[in-house]
Amino acid sequence: GIQVEQSPPDLILQEGANSTLRCNFSDSVNNLQWFHQNPWGQLINLFYIPSGTKQNGRLSATTVATERYSLLYISSSQTTDSGVYFCAVELRGTYKYIFGTGTRLKVLA
Amino acid sequence: NAGVTQTPKFRVLKTGQSMTLLCAQDMNHEYMYWYRQDPGMGLRLIHYSVGEGTTAKGEVPDGYNVSRLKKQNFLLGLESAAPSQTSVYFCASSYPGGYNEQFFGPGTRLTVL
């Protein structure tokens, strides 16, 4: 089956630093989403981005579907950015989403 | 709009007991999903539904059953709970077609002793 791998697995930043999170997937997909799971366990939608680039405040994302990867950029990080970031891909020809392994981010004040 | 809601928020079961988790959405979404998340891991799909009266298996369906009698509700049942089913369960819903963006409920934390 499809493999969805995220890197790095863990990341520690000082407040104000920038970071790039990566999501690689091993097969063609219909759709891709980025989520932030906050320390209370809530899953928050960040981007729905099957291809192209989107920006929302300090966050932006780029998906290059032909090369099977997506990037999430966090600029000027804040302590509230801490948590786990997941990408999830919708398998082509199905309605099923497969989640990546996650990147655990800790932002220090 | 409440979005996606899950009942209950927490539950403790003894091995062999049964229970039903309820997911409800008020967004008129066609697709609904049940996932489980084990400590330190990503979410894994248990079962999903693409419409009222339809269900299908996901990655880890064993030990669970589901029903979608009404469009807005998706039920997850554990007939005979096992300690391996201790997990956090998330429900999600989405609108079909090219824009299949999932929205998640707050989760149910289940412990099986």
Side-chain angles (χ1 to χ4, degrees), chain B residues 15-93:
Chain B
T15 296
Q17 287 184 319
S18 63
M19 78 163 293
T20 300
L21 281 67
L22 170 64
C23 176
Q25 53 92 7
D26 61 2
M27 297 176 283
N28 201 33
H29 284 172
E30 290 290 338
Y31 297 178
M32 295 186 75
Y33 304 79
W34 276 108
Y35 294 87
R36 61 176 288 173
Q37 184 179 29
D38 299 320
M41 297 183 67
L43 279 71
R44 291 183 293 169
L45 182 64
I46 304 172
H47 286 281
Y48 64 102
S49 168
V50 299
E52 184 177 317
T54 71
T55 62
K57 294 180 180 180
E59 298 174 86
V60 289
D62 294 342
Y64 305 95
N65 56 75
V66 288
S67 64
R68 183 100 181 267
L69 299 180
K70 293 183 179 180
K71 184 177 182 178
Q72 63 267 34
N73 295 337
F74 194 28
L75 279 62
L76 178 71
L78 286 73
E79 290 184 348
S80 179
S84 61
Q85 294 177 303
T86 293
S87 190
V88 180
Y89 291 85
F90 287 97
C91 176
S93 71

Side-chain angles (χ1 to χ4, degrees), chain B residues 10-14 82-83 85-87 89 109-113:
Chain B
F10 304 93
R11 185 73 185 267
V12 178
L13 291 178
K14 294 182 180 178
Q85 294 177 303
T86 293
S87 190
Y89 291 85
R109 186 173 296 274
L110 175 66
T111 301
V112 182
L113 302 176

Side-chain angles (χ1 to χ4, degrees), chain A residues 30-31 33 35 37 40-43 45 47-48 50 54 86 88 90 94-102 104, chain B residues 31 33 35 37 40-45 48 50 57-59 90 94 97-106:
Chain A
N30 279 346
N31 295 305
Q33 284 188 254
F35 296 92
Q37 188 167 39
W40 296 270
Q42 184 182 9
L43 282 158
N45 289 33
F47 293 102
Y48 175 88
K54 290 186 177 179
F86 290 106
E90 183 187 0
T94 77
Y95 310 104
K96 298 191 286 190
Y97 269 89
I98 301 297
F99 274 71
T101 49
R104 186 173 300 274
Chain B
Y31 297 178
Y33 304 79
Y35 294 87
Q37 184 179 29
M41 297 183 67
L43 279 71
R44 291 183 293 169
L45 182 64
Y48 64 102
V50 299
K57 294 180 180 180
E59 298 174 86
F90 287 97
S94 66
Y99 204 79
N100 189 19
E101 181 179 4
Q102 292 197 326
F103 294 88
F104 279 82

Side-chain angles (χ1 to χ4, degrees), chain A residues 57-74:
Chain A
R58 296 181 295 104
L59 274 59
S60 64
T62 296
T63 297
V64 185
T66 53
E67 297 187 21
R68 300 180 185 170
Y69 72 90
S70 183
L71 302 174
L72 178 68
Y73 306 94
I74 304 174

Side-chain angles (χ1 to χ4, degrees), chain A residues 72-92:
Chain A
L72 178 68
Y73 306 94
I74 304 174
S75 64
S76 303
S77 58
Q78 301 175 357
T79 55
T80 51
D81 295 332
S82 297
V84 185
Y85 289 80
F86 290 106
C87 67
V89 299
E90 183 187 0
L91 304 183
R92 187 173 290 279

